[in-house]
Amino acid sequence: MIKIIKNVEVFSPQPLGKRDVLIAHDKIVAIDKDIALNGSYVESIDGSGKLCVPGFIDSHVHIIGGGGEGGFTTRTPELLFSDLVQGGITTVVGCLGTDGVTRNLNSLYAKAKSLDEQGVTCYIYSGSYRVPIVTFTGSLLQDLILIDKVIGAGEIAISDHRSSQPTVEELKRIAADARVGGILSNKAGIVNLHVGDGPSMLDMLYEIIQTTEIPTSQFLPTHINRNRKLLQEGLNYVQMGGVVDFTTSVGSLLEEDLQAWKALRDYVDHGFEDSVTFSSDGQGSLPRFNDKKEFVGLDVGRVTSVYEQFRLAVENGVELQKALKAVTKNPARVLKLTSKGCLDEGKDADLLLLDKDLCINTVIAKGKILMKEGQLIIKGTFE
Ligand code: FWO
Ligand code: ZN
């Protein structure tokens, strides 16, 4: 119940230097020099030669599977808990995608509960690609206010041949309900927008922001690194104060040079290190369509890609604490997960120990060790 990580280099994401980290139950109690505490009830972990960073947050995972764009045989499998641990992800948000008919919110909820019970923190979005959105209660407002795990709506598709072709009015109402539901339940009420390959890109989002009082902070547009034009357009959006999300699962759909780490480096070089988040699209399909919009194949997203792209960013010149923000502090702020995303007294004890070469050595979630010395300690029920 009481753990102390000794003599570890802490990045909260900000660099705090060599510190001891004291954990009691599921909270960080203190981060300080030379914390003297011993006794049989204290588990001491040697942090020397290692970095201690916040556990990663993945805001977009098809935890019960997704896909289907090539018919029933292309439905993708549900998430394995052990994949989250391997990728250092301690907080995850589950969503539905293209198929909101055979995938439903009740299953999404049950999977989120199972991931919680296995040791990580899992939230969900009401909705799927389509408008009108699927909800638990018939109302997004009520879902947000009455169902603790619901923190917003998503992934709602715009600018995509697979969307429901929503009107701006429909999207305004969803954003308004998400906002008021979030205010009344003290949650983000975030609207996770799936931005497709279509030429209208962020037009609908700009129109909502320009014609209502709803702020950019209500939205998290994702897949912004899916093509060069959209990546460029995203720079305009962050200049308005918005936050954009880059998909880290590369698959063969994304051109190689649009990997999330390159997009991050570009935005950081423009000074927007606080306006970018990474998410994996884990277990989602990464379908490929030809120019006649015919399905030609698909890959499956992987949650471990968040860590891989974070590491590539650092290896290619992005400062560690800036790359960390994209996978910890920024998503925590956008999703209003106030107990997550940074290492500080009173925060949830979600933290990773990385070797000097940034390999994940230890994963601790809600104070429980899930991986130690690179070995899974806690496995999922069936893995
Ligand atoms: C992206 C999830 C896409 C599902 O555009 O949106 O299809 O329902 O499982 N995936 N449709 C992948 C690109 C960003 C690479 C989804 C998928
Ligand atoms: Zn999507």
Side-chain angles (χ1 to χ4, degrees), residues 13-55:
Q14 295 313 315
L16 302 184
K18 271 201 188 348
R19 290 287 185 276
D20 294 348
V21 179
L22 179 59
I23 295 167
H25 186 38
D26 60 354
K27 295 290 182 195
I28 296 171
V29 171
I31 300 175
D32 208 344
K33 282 182 181 302
D34 307 329
I35 297 176
L37 194 71
N38 37 49
S40 57
Y41 49 84
V42 179
E43 179 179 358
S44 186
I45 299 167
D46 179 11
S48 46
K50 293 190 179 65
L51 310 180
C52 183
V53 303

Side-chain angles (χ1 to χ4, degrees), residues 170-188:
E170 285 176 313
L171 283 182
K172 280 183 188 180
R173 176 54 51 83
I174 289 169
D177 290 353
R179 178 169 182 76
V180 176
I183 287 170
L184 292 174
S185 60
N186 197 18
K187 296 175 186 172

Side-chain angles (χ1 to χ4, degrees), residues 160-162 197-198 288-296:
D160 196 303
H161 64 101
R162 296 162 293 170
D197 270 333
R288 294 186 302 285
F289 299 94
N290 61 22
D291 45 17
K292 291 201 288 293
K293 296 279 187 276
E294 291 159 339
F295 175 81
V296 291

Side-chain angles (χ1 to χ4, degrees), residues 57 328-338 340-342:
I57 300 173
T328 60
K329 191 175 178 191
N330 294 351
R333 185 188 76 246
V334 168
L335 302 173
K336 207 176 175 184
L337 303 179
T338 49
K340 305 288 186 187
C342 70

Side-chain angles (χ1 to χ4, degrees), residues 60 62 65-67 69 76 96-99 129 155 160 162 194-196 223 226 247 249-250 253-254 281 283-287 289:
H60 191 108
H62 297 265
E69 286 99 338
T76 58
L96 304 182
T98 310
D99 178 1
Y129 263 33
E155 56 167 328
D160 196 303
R162 296 162 293 170
H194 159 109
V195 186
H223 310 323
R226 70 182 307 144
T247 298
S249 289
V250 181
L253 185 106
L254 284 186
D281 212 2
Q283 300 317 115
S285 61
L286 315 175
F289 299 94

